[in-house]
Amino acid sequence: MPLADTTEPRSVVVSRHTPLGPGSEFDRIRLALARLGPRAVGAGDDCAFVPAGGEYLALSCDASVEGTHFRAGWLRAEELGWRAAAAALSDLAAVAATPLGVLVSVALPVEWPEEQFADLMEGVGEAVEAVGAVVWGGDLVRGERLAIGMFVVGRLVGEPVRRRGAMPGDGLWVTGRLGGPRAAVAAWGAGREPEAAARARFARPEPRVAHALWLKEHGAKAMIDVSDGVLPDAAHLGAASGVSWTIALEALPLHPAIEGALEAVVSGEEYELLAALPPGFGPDQAREFEAAFGLPLTRVGWAEPAGREPLVRLVRDGAAVEPPFAFAHF
Amino acid sequence: MPLADTTEPRSVVVSRHTPLGPGSEFDRIRLALARLGPRAVGAGDDCAFVPAGGEYLALSCDASVEGTHFRAGWLRAEELGWRAAAAALSDLAAVAATPLGVLVSVALPVEWPEEQFADLMEGVGEAVEAVGAVVWGGDLVRGERLAIGMFVVGRLVGEPVRRRGAMPGDGLWVTGRLGGPRAAVAAWGAGREPEAAARARFARPEPRVAHALWLKEHGAKAMIDVSDGVLPDAAHLGAASGVSWTIALEALPLHPAIEGALEAVVSGEEYELLAALPPGFGPDQAREFEAAFGLPLTRVGWAEPAGREPLVRLVRDGAAVEPPFAFAHF
């Protein structure tokens, strides 16, 4: 779709907000956007799009907060930094932007040793370097609990892939294997140390930057990164695009540590990509993706015309399945 | 000074960090920057500078954290939003950038009613609108304590005013009257409601955006916004520029609510501008500024060659005065 009817640098590419899916967090955002009126423009995608020099910059922010996203003792300082940066960089991947740089805003408990803060920032630096970007600066304040605010800037060549754009008949595809982060959190919650592979999926998620560019080149029509879980994130894609998704549980690519597909669809903080690809995209193309990246790309569902709730229906071998409870911030 | 020897969009304008002044917070940042090595570029000014389309964007972030920057009950939700946004926008003013847009990252206690979050965001929207910018988006998560991370983007026409650039002989000038925010915090700390004018200086600070452009046009060589206090912030200007400041306490423009100049030099969160102006800038120009903005512009000190500690010396009627204790995050 045409991105902009203006090249005036004060304007963002899209002045209308992209509709968000259901959930108490998004009810709060909808209410706030209604109150902001014309003082807010172009919200609701994984990034904001800002014209700059004939191209577009993609901007996003993402907070990692102790007690919400992790608990003290789960991760080392450098893992906390990597994870916070990777989660934010994943928003750039979700729109097929190439990361340029980040700012890091840290609220740090006063009892943290100086070296431990340097470890955290080194983790940020590693995640940022891994996608070819740099740390531009940041902000450090005292806080009772650790909170890391990441602000990321990427460059768009051509148009972004947005949450809107999926059409009935499109396939719903996901990168990687789902469930590792949820299995890790479940283990910690039960007082156990997670198994190594699941722990790594939680501690060092990888923003799928190159994968996103590949998907865009191969026709991705809408995309989101899996931060809340495939089920709630597919609902956002559905709300934005005006389609309803059917997800076949037996098709889901599962991480070995997760119990089953009903757990995997609500595994958040995966930072895998969930993309709408046209009907012509099939197993041959998926094999090309896997050969290029060493990561599976799996068709897990398809789009139908919307118009009735829910935005996502789960089926197993064709029979409807009750959706599980997904994490909500509020 | 020349800003960039490259127009490659992956590079920031300045690859070397600007030296920071003394303090435990800045020791932590120095250590982290040392560990980051080439993974971090161009830190140490009020903003990062990123080339975009033949111009430069200025980027900054700033966190407002309950328990650190304010306590529950001091401010209404819309004031919390205004204040967080104004504090971050003040970093754009400090480099003489024109605000374009912001992202807002909020960690919100689960017990906050939806309407109260909308009030907070309305305060953000008002502050952003007041400087001609818009809200581009953001991020909302649950947090035990309220924390607001603001990410601000501005546009630079020509070169920014940076923290470096002051030279021996330059005057040190400050906008507005100092001490209001500290008087307000002192009143709350003593269990009293602050007087209205001091409370307003804390609750609704005004980023000096237009003032900064005027100062740049009139020769400002180095600038910083007063977030920690004139004394510690002058030390940053001194460290960055390689000069030592002498501040004449009797010259300080005082807010009526503050007890004296020794209190005013450590009053933080003023969001006034502290600028190095050349020797030829004098009372006539200051009167022009005051006529244009209805705000005083006062010469409070002067630069001498550095080379000895401290970076800032306080005098009263020519006699040295022991510096007071300034707030430090760590």
Side-chain angles (χ1 to χ4, degrees), chain B residues 76-149:
Chain B
R76 295 190 302 275
E78 58 269 39
E79 291 172 331
L80 292 168
W82 172 288
R83 190 170 183 284
L89 292 164
S90 178
D91 283 332
L92 295 179
V95 302
T98 303
L100 295 173
V102 309
L103 300 179
V104 193
S105 183
V106 179
L108 191 72
V110 72
E111 62 271 16
W112 270 51
E114 280 183 25
E115 284 290 347
Q116 203 176 335
F117 173 65
D119 290 344
L120 184 152
M121 288 301 298
E122 188 156 7
V124 169
E126 284 172 12
V128 166
E129 187 179 33
V131 295
V134 289
V135 176
W136 283 328
D139 170 45
L140 174 63
V141 302
R142 176 167 63 190
E144 290 181 34
R145 293 294 191 100
L146 179 68
I148 309 170

Side-chain angles (χ1 to χ4, degrees), chain A residues 179-188 192 194-195 198-199 255 257-259 263 267:
Chain A
R182 187 174 176 91
V185 170
W188 277 308
R192 289 180 285 111
E195 63 164 86
R199 187 185 187 287
H255 190 280
I258 199 77
E259 285 188 20
E263 290 280 309
S267 178

Side-chain angles (χ1 to χ4, degrees), chain A residues 255-330:
Chain A
H255 190 280
I258 199 77
E259 285 188 20
L262 277 179
E263 290 280 309
V265 290
V266 289
S267 178
E269 301 174 306
E270 295 277 349
Y271 306 115
E272 296 294 351
L273 296 172
L274 190 63
L277 286 157
F281 189 97
D284 289 350
Q285 287 81 5
R287 274 189 292 272
E288 272 181 53
F289 179 96
E290 185 155 358
F293 298 111
L295 193 75
L297 176 65
T298 311
R299 184 175 183 273
V300 297
W302 57 90
E304 292 171 298
R308 50 182 179 151
E309 294 289 333
L311 291 162
V312 185
R313 287 174 303 127
L314 301 180
V315 298
R316 189 190 299 278
D317 302 323
V321 174
E322 188 70 17
F325 173 78
F327 174 80
H329 280 283
F330 300 98

Side-chain angles (χ1 to χ4, degrees), chain A residues 139-160:
Chain A
D139 171 45
L140 175 63
V141 302
R142 178 167 61 190
E144 291 182 33
R145 294 294 193 100
L146 179 68
I148 310 170
M150 293 293 312
F151 300 101
V152 296
V153 179
R155 178 186 178 189
L156 283 165
V157 177
E159 298 186 5

